[in-house]
Amino acid sequence: MTHLLKMALISALALAALLAQPAWAAPKVVVSIKPIASLVEGIMAGVGVPSVIVGGGQSIHTFAMKPSDARALNDADVVFWVGEGLETFLAKPIASLTSGATVVELVDTPGLTVLKSREGGMWESHAEEQAVDHGHDHDHGHDFDGHIWLDPANAKAMVKTIEIALSEVDSTNAQAYAANAAAVLARIDALDAELRHALAPIKARPYVVFHDGYQYFERAYGLNAVGSITVSPERAPGAKRVAEVREKIGSLKAACVFAEPQFEPKLVGMLIEGTAAKTGTLDPEAATLPAGPELYFDLMRGLARNLTACLAPAP
């Protein structure tokens, strides 16, 4: 092979390698928590993968930022989070960003249904006045339940907002984001129908949860949660609260008391002692699930499966 032929071959290979690479790098996207990151990753399929701040088996309620998290935020082109009322640890770092990143506070998603935080430990009926149609850019403060992803209608609204934000930052891949978002929306519709069918037989069965993080799921599927052991999982319930919950488990004939993976207290066993209630586990933040585009769907199916397993009447 002559020198000129070798040079021509090398040049051709170099050009082919260059053409095989995307002309624009995918945007650097940082997401606060895994359930939201799952939706973002579905919309970014084939373009890039977002990074997640609260990963592994960590909980939103006890999380502390690391230097690597701060660096990821400062390097980001886009940041998605629910809002200060949920990820309180992110409020100051986001406020101090100087990188010019696009920050999307998803609690401001147009058309989102946002529920106020419930007070007290036992709720024997669903208070319709708890719901507020949040719309866009309202002053929500801190008095809202941040587990907005547990309502499939909210998830669909967020998918649209995420797609728009990504397309504005990265117009080159806007067509891919739109197609992926449409696919995710169709999957959420199918999931919603599946869960309605699965949960219908246990809708009336009363139960108690570890902390009040499920009211979006309850409202979406008409479930009969009657109370929580604690308002916030990082704070142990006092003696008065424990006594109240125990009394209600008996008087309301609660069929099940649910713990959570990160906060599975011996207290649950004590609360059901001498009652007919069973125990189960619910994971609203997907702490036990691997991150990825399937996580949101696995999370919702897992909640339905564990509720049904514990609440189904004995044959």
Side-chain angles (χ1 to χ4, degrees), residues 60-243:
I60 305 167
H61 303 281
T62 57
F63 185 79
M65 290 272 290
K66 302 183 294 294
S68 58
D69 299 321
R71 287 194 295 271
L73 275 178
N74 287 324
D75 290 342
D77 298 308
V78 189
V79 178
F80 293 104
W81 67 320
V82 172
E84 188 174 352
L86 183 73
E87 307 101 318
T88 54
F89 61 88
L90 267 180
K92 288 183 178 179
I94 284 179
S96 62
L97 281 178
T98 58
S99 61
T102 296
V103 177
V104 181
E105 191 169 359
L106 289 167
V107 74
D108 286 331
T109 294
L112 201 75
T113 295
V114 178
L115 303 177
K116 295 177 183 178
S117 299
R118 290 187 283 206
E119 296 180 3
M122 306 308 292
W123 341 286
E124 294 183 35
S125 64
H126 294 290
E128 293 301 321
E129 66 273 11
Q130 290 292 96
V132 290
D133 187 6
H134 201 73
H136 184 69
D137 257 357
H138 288 91
D139 181 18
H140 49 76
H142 299 274
D143 188 28
F144 73 94
D145 182 340
H147 300 79
I148 54 177
W149 60 90
L150 294 181
D151 181 342
N154 279 353
K156 290 177 64 177
M158 288 189 288
V159 164
K160 295 171 186 175
T161 290
I162 292 164
E163 179 215 332
I164 291 169
L166 290 172
S167 296
E168 288 177 349
V169 170
D170 179 24
S171 59
T172 302
N173 289 303
Q175 190 172 357
Y177 296 139
N180 289 338
V184 173
L185 290 173
R187 290 193 66 191
I188 293 174
D189 281 337
L191 172 72
D192 188 27
E194 173 190 330
L195 297 188
R196 287 185 189 284
H197 177 75
L199 291 164
I202 53 94
K203 284 172 65 172
R205 301 275 284 169
Y207 64 95
V208 172
V209 295
F210 181 66
H211 92 283
D212 187 14
Y214 305 87
Q215 61 173 324
Y216 292 97
F217 199 84
E218 296 160 21
R219 287 174 60 93
Y221 299 108
L223 303 178
N224 190 24
V226 295
S228 67
I229 297 172
T230 181
V231 175
S232 299
E234 69 271 21
R235 296 198 300 269
K240 182 179 178 182
R241 178 62 165 270
V242 170

Side-chain angles (χ1 to χ4, degrees), residues 5-53:
L5 186 57
K6 284 182 181 180
M7 292 299 294
L9 181 58
I10 291 170
S11 297
L13 290 173
L15 178 61
L18 182 63
L19 292 174
Q21 295 177 357
W24 291 270
K28 294 178 181 177
V29 179
V30 173
V31 189
S32 58
I33 56 176
K34 291 195 293 182
I36 303 301
S38 177
L39 298 175
V40 175
E41 188 164 349
I43 298 165
M44 293 185 69
V47 177
V49 178
S51 60
V52 188
I53 293 179

